[in-house]
Amino acid sequence: MVKRMWAVVLAGVLVMGGMWYVFRGREQKSCTRQLFAMDTVMSFTAYGERCEEAVDAAIEEVLRLDAMLSTGNVESEISEVNEAGEGEVSGETAAILRKAMEIFGRTDGLFDVTVYPLVELWGFSTREYHVPTEEELEDTLALVDGSRIELNGETVVLGEGQRMDLGGIAKGYTSARMMDIFREYGIESGMVTLGGNVQVLNKKVDGSKWQVGIRDPKDGEAVLGVVSVENRAVITSGGYERYFEEDGNRYIHILNPHTGYPADQDLVSVTVVSENGMLADALSTALYLMGQERAVAYWEEYGEDFELILVRDDGEICVTEGIVEGFQTEREYAVIRR
């Protein structure tokens, strides 16, 4: 799935494209670097004596995962399976796909990696946008059904004509891997942003929590609120950045695998906060498609390991009880409690 989001990280970070910035304060050395990969701008910040090594290793890992998972790389594991309809994949790819299939089942199929033919049909993969006919949608929807994927160990078999894209969960896996690498290098505090998918390690070096700003979906220049976190991923889905307009209608990139059309529920922004980057990544899309009522019901049933910040199309903000103490905004908001 295609996903893009904008976020502000209020952490005193200095970033310039492709360049190193190394700082040494009173006690702590820090390094920041920026990279373009996975079709988005990424930023890596680490605090610790081995920060340069840690960030280099993190970037190397991003490039490795991109080569392995990207649908834009004809030699990637995903592309090869899509081309042949089946194939052997690495243990990592199998684990990501297994998690995706688990979330597919729990979300009534709203998170579906086989939605890729729809993404192509609407032109979001190529930016050659196109409003499909009913006949085109009907034909393409016949290919979209994650339950037809067979995963036996590391062998993947797709249904006839199916193609998959792990983009809706892969960045969450990647940011979690960045945290693993930072820990391996003894990093005491760190943050990565992968096209807006934010994940942080521990607290900031001054002992305060990291503050992640959430974009106002109605005003691209404004921050709706700030959430304070440690050892968490903060991932948002919204239709306000990736869209096209035709004949006075706006079509966003978040596509419903049941109808074939862009999301049309009452939410304009869904932020998921979780220790599990993959879970946060996938759920931000699925819950957006559900709309507020079903998203809240899902959190009530499954939300032991994630929290939500929901923004409705009428501007109402709803925050689940587990994150409310760390959420700051100048606007009124409702607290969702069990």
Side-chain angles (χ1 to χ4, degrees), residues 50-214:
R50 302 179 68 191
C51 60
E52 298 106 317
E53 296 173 76
V55 172
D56 277 342
I59 288 174
E60 219 174 281
E61 179 72 348
V62 167
L63 297 176
R64 182 186 72 84
L65 291 172
D66 193 20
M68 184 172 75
L69 301 171
S70 173
T71 56
N73 175 6
V74 295
E75 296 181 351
S76 74
E77 294 183 3
I78 300 303
S79 293
E80 289 179 351
V81 170
N82 285 345
E83 179 68 23
E86 59 183 298
E88 295 289 323
V89 296
S90 63
E92 278 180 290
T93 299
I96 297 169
L97 182 55
R98 192 168 291 111
K99 186 66 175 179
M101 294 170 70
E102 174 191 323
I103 297 172
F104 168 86
R106 280 193 169 190
T107 60
D108 190 29
L110 285 177
F111 181 76
D112 190 337
V113 298
T114 67
V115 77
Y116 188 50
L118 275 177
V119 174
E120 291 185 304
L121 178 64
W122 283 88
F124 286 109
S125 58
T126 61
R127 293 180 175 81
E128 296 178 3
Y129 302 118
H130 163 69
V131 178
T133 65
E134 290 295 329
E135 183 178 358
E136 288 174 325
L137 281 174
E138 184 178 352
D139 291 343
T140 305
L141 278 171
L143 305 175
V144 180
D145 181 359
S147 68
R148 294 168 59 191
I149 299 176
E150 297 179 18
L151 178 60
N152 301 306
E154 296 174 4
T155 300
V156 181
V157 180
L158 302 178
E160 184 176 354
Q162 286 191 313
R163 281 167 294 158
M164 62 178 177
D165 180 4
L166 299 184
I169 195 170
K171 285 191 181 73
Y173 176 80
T174 301
S175 64
R177 282 289 302 130
M178 302 301 95
M179 300 300 101
D180 292 339
I181 289 171
F182 280 5
R183 292 186 185 98
E184 290 169 10
Y185 282 85
I187 298 304
E188 299 175 25
S189 179
M191 175 272 296
V192 297
T193 65
L194 311 182
N197 289 26
V198 179
Q199 191 151 357
V200 302
L201 175 66
N202 300 328
K203 295 181 179 179
K204 293 192 289 181
V205 291
D206 64 4
S208 64
K209 292 186 177 182
W210 294 89
Q211 294 182 296
V212 181
I214 309 300

Side-chain angles (χ1 to χ4, degrees), residues 240-292:
Y240 42 80
E241 273 208 342
R242 193 76 177 271
Y243 63 87
F244 70 95
E245 295 181 346
E246 186 171 311
D247 297 328
N249 296 311
R250 176 176 291 193
Y251 301 95
I252 67 172
H253 72 278
I254 302 174
L255 302 176
N256 189 321
H258 295 170
T259 67
Y261 284 98
D264 60 354
Q265 295 295 329
D266 56 359
L267 294 174
V268 292
S269 174
V270 173
T271 298
V272 182
V273 180
S274 176
E275 189 174 359
N276 187 320
M278 281 199 293
L279 180 70
D281 202 7
L283 285 186
S284 66
T285 298
L287 300 185
Y288 188 100
L289 288 164
M290 287 183 189
Q292 181 186 357

